[in-house]
């Protein structure tokens, strides 16, 4: 069997989780053995499920370290990872290792943080992936295609988990306009 790496990236509300769940469900239809991991810190909707903003969900395993996947993913055909931006840098070598061992690895995560800067291990993951898909949200200010996650909250804490009231999807123009007032 041959493995590879797929990355699904974009802003908040761009449908990363939706697209991840779609691909994983199709793998399940094909009777592939599927396992989904997410960082243990992402418990905003459910302790174990990976949940999209449009409320579709899939059973997942919360893990603390990227390395935990090595043991838990053995025997899988397809491995999904959601909120990959929150994992430690080891996530990249772990995904490469799994792909080298015949596993299809599908990684979803924010490509930029609320400051518009590349987020954690995502640039490295995009570098080693065979396929990179960038999905887009709709700018809540003007309706253009949005690729930025604008934060309304005052806290400077980077790992503030997503909620509709504190973050909004914005296009480049409206994101930059919003940052002027900060
Ligand atoms: P992500 O994982 O990228 O944050 P989700 O898959 O959880 O995205 O959610 C995508 C869903 O979010 C869309 O199908 C739509 O129902 C909803 N949504 C809410 N706000 C927006 C927005 N500004 N642009 C696009 N979709 C939005
Ligand atoms: Mg998501």
């Amino acid at each position: 069997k041959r493995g590879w790496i797929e990355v699904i990236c974009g802003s908040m509300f761009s449908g990363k989780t939706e697209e991840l769940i779609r691909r994983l469900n199709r793998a399940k239809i094909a009777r592939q053995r599927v396992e989904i991991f997410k960082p243990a810190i992402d418990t905003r909707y459910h302790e174990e499920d990976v949940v999209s903003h449009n409320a579709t969900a899939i059973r997942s395993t919360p893990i603390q370290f990227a390395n935990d996947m090595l043991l838990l993913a053995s025997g899988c055909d397809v491995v999904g990872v959601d909120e990959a931006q929150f994992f430690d840098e080891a996530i990249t070598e772990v995904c490469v290792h799994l792909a080298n061992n015949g596993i299809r690895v599908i990684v979803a995560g924010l490509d930029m943080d609320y400051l518009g800067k590349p987020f954690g291990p995502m640039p490295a993951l995009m570098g080693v992936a065979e396929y990179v898909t960038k999905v887009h949200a709709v700018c809540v200010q003007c309706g253009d295609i949005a690729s930025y996650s604008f934060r309304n909250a005052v806290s400077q804490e980077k790992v503030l988990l997503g909620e509709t009231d504190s973050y909004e999807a914005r296009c480049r123009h409206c994101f930059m306009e919003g940052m002027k007032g900060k």
Side-chain angles (χ1 to χ4, degrees):
K1 271 190 100 272
R2 297 203 172 171
W4 66 85
I5 301 172
E6 300 167 32
V7 167
I8 303 163
C9 66
S11 69
M12 288 192 58
F13 309 106
S14 61
K16 301 182 297 299
T17 301
E18 220 173 83
E19 176 62 14
L20 177 67
I21 291 172
R22 191 187 72 86
R23 292 186 194 183
L24 293 173
N25 278 336
R26 295 182 73 79
K28 281 183 182 176
I29 291 168
R31 297 184 182 281
Q32 304 270 293
R33 287 163 299 177
V34 175
E35 194 71 62
I36 307 104
F37 301 101
K38 67 173 185 179
I41 51 164
D42 180 30
T43 54
R44 65 191 141 148
Y45 300 107
H46 195 281
E47 287 289 338
E48 287 187 5
D49 286 0
V50 160
V51 185
S52 152
H53 289 112
N54 71 352
T56 51
I58 194 166
R59 174 68 69 203
S60 78
T61 306
I63 54 172
Q64 198 172 358
F65 304 106
N67 267 307
D68 298 343
M69 279 200 292
L70 291 175
L71 215 62
L72 295 167
S74 62
C76 287
D77 301 304
V78 183
V79 164
V81 184
D82 200 14
E83 304 289 356
Q85 75 279 355
F86 290 141
F87 277 111
D88 51 293
E89 296 292 337
I91 183 89
T92 306
E93 49 189 284
V94 169
C95 289
V96 166
H97 180 83
L98 296 178
N100 287 347
N101 283 276
I103 296 175
R104 175 186 176 196
V105 185
I106 314 175
V107 186
L110 290 166
D111 48 8
M112 289 187 278
D113 61 18
Y114 71 99
L115 295 170
K117 298 282 184 274
F119 207 146
M122 292 304 292
L125 283 165
M126 289 158 78
V128 297
E130 275 90 344
Y131 306 99
V132 178
T133 305
K134 185 152 179 162
V135 286
H136 302 90
V138 174
C139 177
V140 296
Q141 300 287 318
C142 73
D144 277 4
I145 289 292
S147 46
Y148 289 89
S149 309
F150 183 77
R151 187 161 84 179
N152 291 306
V154 281
S155 162
Q156 288 300 299
E157 184 61 47
K158 192 171 180 178
V159 183
L160 187 81
L161 294 175
E163 274 156 31
T164 327
D165 56 357
S166 51
Y167 286 96
E168 56 190 41
R170 289 198 182 190
C171 69
R172 178 184 296 278
H173 176 80
C174 295
F175 177 80
M176 291 306 168
E177 286 296 309
M179 292 303 271
K180 281 181 189 168
K182 304 243 159 180

